[in-house]
Amino acid sequence: MDRIRSCLLSLSRRQKRVLQVVTDIVLVWLALWLAFVVRLGLDDMINPVTTHVWLFVFAPLVAIPLFIRFGMYRAVMRYFGNDALIAIIKAVSLSALILAVVVYWYSNHDNVVPRSIIFNYWWLSLIMLGGLRLAMRQYFLGDWFAAAQHVPFTSRDDGLPRVAIYGAGAAGNQLVAALRMGRLMRPVAFIDDDESISDRIISGLQVFSPDKIQRMIDRTGAQELLLAIPSSPRARRREILGLLEGFPLHVRSVPGFMDLASGRVKVDDIQEVDIADLLGRDAVPAQAELLEHCIKGQCVLVTGAGGSIGSELCRQILAQGPTTLLLFEHSEFNLYNILSELEQQVTRESLSVKVLPILGSVRNSQQLLDLMKTWHVDTVYHAAAYKHVPMVEHNIAEGVLNNVIGTLNTAQAALQAGVANFVLISTDKAVRPTNVMGSTKRLAEMTLQALSREVAPVLFRDKSNVVRVNKTRFTMVRFGNVLGSSGSVIPLFHKQIQAGGPLTVTHPKITRYFMTIPEAAQLVIQAGSMGQGGDVFVLDMGEPVRIVELAEKMIHLSGFSVRSEKNLHGDIEIEFSGLRPGEKLYEELLIGDNVVATQHPMIMSANEDLLSWDELKQKLTQLLDAVDQDDYSRVRQLLRETVSGYAPEGEIVDWIYLQHRAEPQ
């Protein structure tokens, strides 16, 4: 059977059409002959082929041109659907009607054709032509029993993974058709909340209610479950995932229609469960006027454009209609990736935006100034930073130079070039930090706060002492971890689960705030449009999440169990590695309690302590001198004196510092 199928599929398009036409002529003749049999019976019937030969000649001459006209030979058998069936009904009905007119006009007393013959010919043709095409579709799919799994003696084991589909709506039925076409998984059941379709059969699959999942597993042997509920809110998806967590099923999801339409994913992409669904929080709709305020019709610069947040900022900025989008990035590879993606989007959507890649570093103040002046930049989103806590803890000088001086250079260039809006991407680790990364990000915030208070400042290390008129509105946006960012724990957990474990968690009580990258970037853009200058905006991150609970959920939803003292026969173990250098158990979003609501429900404004610009310049001078001398004890002391709440834990672990201490004096 497989060989015949392969031979038929390998025929040329013309050969396939000729074969279909010949088959349809035979079926038309057969339907016409059977129409006489149904009307007259076999015992007394005179052979109609000899008595009405003209009818057997005329019937295909009428039918075949109509079949061609209605596109019956353009339909691909493997994708034969409702539209093709409707075309067959129209073509067969019209051909029968024309045949009836001909019979009425040309019949005589010696050659009478019973009128019921036409009706019999009509329904027999529909059954034969339509039925053959439906049968051939199943034949080419190689799945004769897909719609008959509950019929006795038709069950079989084809070795494919058995999957259940949660959601028996349009998305679920399309998924079943795609799975049967791809023949990589075998759909065995639907699960749906709608009680009216419980225990019914849809697309050949029984529909189970959510309270009968164990019965479904026992009856069908399902090993995986695919979520086909793209339109459900996150809160509902979280409830469903909580329900499924107790069953030995590997839970995955199909992409939403908006992801398909945007081109971010393909139809056949089946994804691991989106961790954002476990958080169960739906994004608040964006306010269009805030999104457009600093972007539409303007020249926008994004530093760190190839990073997790920077690249998402670029995607969303592009959609708001800037005239020019400048991508500033020190990693050539990251810059190439985001540029390629944005150029495809510009071409696909016919956008009139210049997207320009700029290789460079925020440590190069002159390059930043030249860039902003040359392109007359209106808005800067400063996302460039080192953000991996243990990495910065081991490389203190780079953390200070990139996070503090890099921000200072970008801000001073913006002030000199007359940039209207400057938005700093900050972090919750800047609040009462215990690490260098957090303290340097807080110092970067304080730099913008101090600059925003100065109407005409003398810039840091400006030997000319020229007073610069400040026309730039500086704002900062502070938020927690984003799902899927570089260094995020979620991709690490996925890899560890695929490797069979163990999952490594630093501490049983460690918690973190989480938000999706698109939501964070959208809120950053909106927050940057608010405030008068020097504002520290804090995003509503929801409730903090215990990392160990997140790890357990990911294990369960991957179809495995957690190995522990209570369950020695579990699949994957969770190991606690201990807090890394500079890491905190809990993160905070506010230094004080003085927070003010804004026009956006997910954005708050915090009033934080600050230093004057002159005081800060003195501290920055001392800090840079200490960095130049590799005096990291002095660096730590200066950060303690400058950054409110900075309380480092443990010894200094900078590699240069440790090497100097290890060398004999």
Side-chain angles (χ1 to χ4, degrees):
M1 295 291 286
D2 290 338
R3 186 177 298 174
I4 296 173
R5 185 187 303 115
S6 299
C7 290
L8 290 174
L9 291 173
S10 65
L11 294 175
S12 67
R13 187 175 180 183
R14 183 174 183 179
Q15 290 172 324
K16 290 176 182 177
R17 286 189 172 183
V18 170
L19 183 59
Q20 283 182 283
V21 170
V22 171
T23 304
D24 284 348
I25 292 174
V26 173
L27 289 178
V28 166
W29 284 341
L30 183 59
L32 194 56
W33 184 79
L34 286 176
F36 280 94
V37 171
V38 171
R39 172 66 177 81
L40 303 175
L42 286 172
D43 296 333
D44 302 324
M45 184 184 75
I46 302 172
N47 188 357
V49 179
T50 57
T51 56
H52 303 288
V53 64
W54 67 274
L55 196 58
F56 281 83
V57 172
F58 192 78
L61 291 177
V62 172
I64 298 303
L66 287 173
F67 294 170
I68 295 173
R69 178 67 181 83
F70 279 88
M72 286 174 54
Y73 303 117
R74 292 196 299 269
V76 179
M77 286 295 179
R78 282 171 291 172
Y79 305 104
F80 189 81
N82 294 336
D83 293 340
L85 280 175
I86 292 172
I88 290 174
I89 293 172
K90 290 179 180 179
V92 170
S93 300
L94 188 56
S95 67
L97 182 61
I98 294 174
L99 197 62
V101 173
V102 172
V103 167
Y104 177 77
W105 280 350
Y106 292 101
S107 291
N108 53 52
H109 295 291
D110 300 326
N111 194 16
V112 176
V113 177
R115 284 172 291 182
S116 60
I117 294 297
I118 301 300
F119 176 73
N120 291 339
Y121 165 74
W122 172 73
W123 65 264
L124 284 167
S125 296
L126 285 178
I127 291 174
M128 290 182 178
L129 292 166
L132 178 64
R133 282 164 167 77
L134 289 174
M136 293 305 292
R137 179 183 69 176
Q138 293 303 114
Y139 174 67
F140 285 125
L141 287 175
D143 198 2
W144 285 98
F145 302 103
Q149 68 174 37
H150 304 289
V151 179
F153 312 113
T154 63
S155 62
R156 59 183 177 132
D157 185 7
D158 49 15
L160 298 178
R162 293 171 170 262
V163 298
I165 314 280
Y166 201 111
N173 279 273
Q174 290 171 12
L175 178 58
V176 167
L179 292 176
R180 287 172 175 166
M181 183 75 64
R183 302 181 67 191
L184 295 175
M185 298 179 178
R186 181 169 182 78
V188 294
F190 277 119
I191 302 171
D192 201 279
D193 302 328
D194 189 351
E195 295 181 359
S196 65
I197 61 174
S198 181
D199 294 325
R200 302 278 293 276
I201 303 296
I202 296 178
S203 295
L205 305 178
Q206 183 174 349
V207 182
F208 292 84
S209 59
D211 59 348
K212 297 178 180 177
I213 294 179
Q214 188 59 54
R215 182 191 299 180
M216 180 274 295
I217 296 173
D218 296 338
R219 186 175 298 179
T220 65
Q223 303 157 301
E224 297 191 25
L225 187 140
L226 302 180
L227 295 176
I229 46 175
S231 59
S232 295
R234 283 223 172 96
R236 177 56 188 150
R237 292 170 75 92
R238 182 183 185 182
E239 291 178 12
I240 293 171
L241 291 174
L243 171 68
L244 298 174
E245 195 180 341
F247 298 98
L249 293 169
H250 182 185
V251 182
R252 294 193 283 177
S253 63
V254 295
F257 295 122
M258 292 307 296
D259 290 330
L260 292 172
S262 66
R264 285 196 290 268
V265 295
K266 303 188 292 292
V267 175
D268 57 353
D269 282 343
I270 295 177
Q271 309 156 328
E272 295 297 330
V273 170
D274 189 350
I275 303 302
D277 293 335
L278 293 177
L279 304 182
R281 190 165 58 96
D282 290 300
V284 174
Q287 298 180 18
E289 66 277 7
L290 292 179
L291 283 177
E292 296 177 352
H293 185 263
C294 297
I295 298 173
K296 190 171 184 178
Q298 300 183 34
C299 177
V300 180
L301 167 65
V302 179
T303 67
S308 306
I309 290 293
S311 58
E312 182 61 30
L313 280 171
C314 292
R315 295 183 193 102
Q316 298 198 22
I317 288 168
L318 199 63
Q320 301 306 317
T323 56
T324 307
L325 176 56
L326 304 176
L327 315 177
F328 193 80
E329 172 64 52
H330 79 283
S331 167
E332 182 185 30
F333 178 73
N334 288 349
L335 183 59
Y336 171 78
N337 283 341
I338 187 60
L339 175 65
S340 300
E341 179 185 336
L342 296 181
E343 285 181 336
Q344 291 177 13
Q345 184 178 344
V346 168
T347 303
R348 185 171 60 247
E349 300 176 11
S350 300
L351 302 176
S352 57
V353 182
K354 287 182 181 178
V355 180
L356 303 175
I358 312 294
L359 270 174
S361 170
V362 290
R363 307 256 285 273
N364 188 338
S365 57
Q366 189 59 48
Q367 183 189 18
L368 288 167
L369 179 58
D370 292 342
L371 177 64
M372 294 182 197
K373 282 186 173 180
T374 301
W375 290 100
H376 306 289
V377 172
D378 299 293
T379 301
V380 173
Y381 291 96
H382 182 54
Y386 289 145
K387 59 183 180 180
H388 194 270
V389 170
M391 194 73 73
V392 176
E393 207 68 17
H394 287 296
N395 297 272
I396 293 175
E398 290 301 306
V400 171
L401 294 175
N402 202 63
N403 292 356
V404 180
I405 305 305
T407 300
L408 175 66
N409 289 341
T410 312
Q412 291 194 150
L415 189 149
Q416 289 175 272
V419 172
N421 309 292
F422 187 103
V423 183
L424 169 67
I425 314 302
S426 191
T427 171
D428 57 355
K429 294 173 179 61
V431 179
R432 277 184 280 272
T434 58
N435 50 68
V436 176
M437 194 281 279
S439 61
T440 54
K441 290 297 286 184
R442 175 57 189 145
L443 194 50
E445 289 182 356
M446 295 172 68
T447 299
L448 298 192
Q449 287 178 293
L451 266 179
S452 66
R453 291 292 184 94
E454 299 294 319
V455 177
V458 175
L459 300 185
F460 179 70
R461 290 196 167 175
D462 185 356
K463 296 179 181 179
S464 64
N465 286 325
V466 175
V467 173
R468 312 280 180 171
V469 177
N470 186 359
K471 298 180 180 178
T472 305
R473 183 173 59 91
F474 294 101
T475 56
M476 293 133 276
V477 185
R478 187 188 292 164
F479 56 91
N481 295 3
V482 288
L483 296 171
S485 67
S486 59
S488 171
V489 71
I490 307 303
L492 175 62
F493 283 170
H494 277 307
K495 289 180 181 178
Q496 291 175 337
I497 289 172
Q498 290 171 1
L503 267 64
T504 53
V505 179
T506 54
H507 193 282
K509 295 183 179 180
I510 192 168
T511 64
R512 289 293 180 265
Y513 290 99
F514 284 102
M515 179 177 283
T516 65
I517 295 177
E519 183 182 6
Q522 188 182 82
L523 290 172
V524 163
I525 293 173
Q526 294 177 89
S529 300
M530 298 187 291
Q532 303 302 313
D535 305 84
V536 178
F537 292 109
V538 180
L539 304 188
D540 182 355
M541 302 290 295
E543 295 298 320
V545 177
R546 285 187 66 200
I547 303 300
V548 67
E549 291 180 358
L550 196 61
E552 290 172 353
K553 289 179 183 292
M554 290 182 66
I555 291 173
H556 291 149
L557 294 173
S558 296
F560 301 109
S561 58
V562 178
R563 189 190 312 147
S564 63
E565 294 180 358
K566 297 181 181 179
N567 182 19
L568 297 177
H569 301 290
D571 302 306
I572 295 178
E573 186 179 3
I574 296 176
E575 290 184 353
F576 298 103
S577 58
L579 292 175
R580 296 171 297 179
E583 201 165 37
K584 295 170 66 175
L585 275 181
Y586 312 101
E587 297 291 0
E588 304 169 89
L589 290 168
L590 296 170
I591 296 175
D593 298 324
N594 194 359
V595 63
V596 180
T598 68
Q599 64 192 87
H600 195 290
M602 297 287 287
I603 302 172
M604 301 170 289
S605 178
N607 292 315
E608 308 284 29
D609 295 333
L610 54 89
L611 295 178
S612 69
W613 178 236
D614 289 335
E615 288 179 287
L616 188 65
K617 284 194 294 183
Q618 292 178 9
K619 293 291 185 181
L620 291 176
T621 299
Q622 296 172 19
L623 185 63
L624 283 180
D625 290 342
V627 168
D628 289 340
Q629 297 165 16
D630 294 332
D631 187 353
Y632 297 111
S633 297
R634 177 63 174 156
V635 169
R636 174 179 278 196
Q637 182 59 35
L638 286 168
L639 289 174
R640 282 189 184 199
E641 295 172 1
T642 311
V643 176
S644 176
Y646 176 47
E649 298 177 356
E651 298 295 323
I652 298 172
V653 293
D654 181 271
W655 297 125
I656 296 177
Y657 177 83
L658 294 176
Q659 183 63 24
H660 284 172
R661 289 189 61 182
E663 292 175 351
Q665 300 298 322

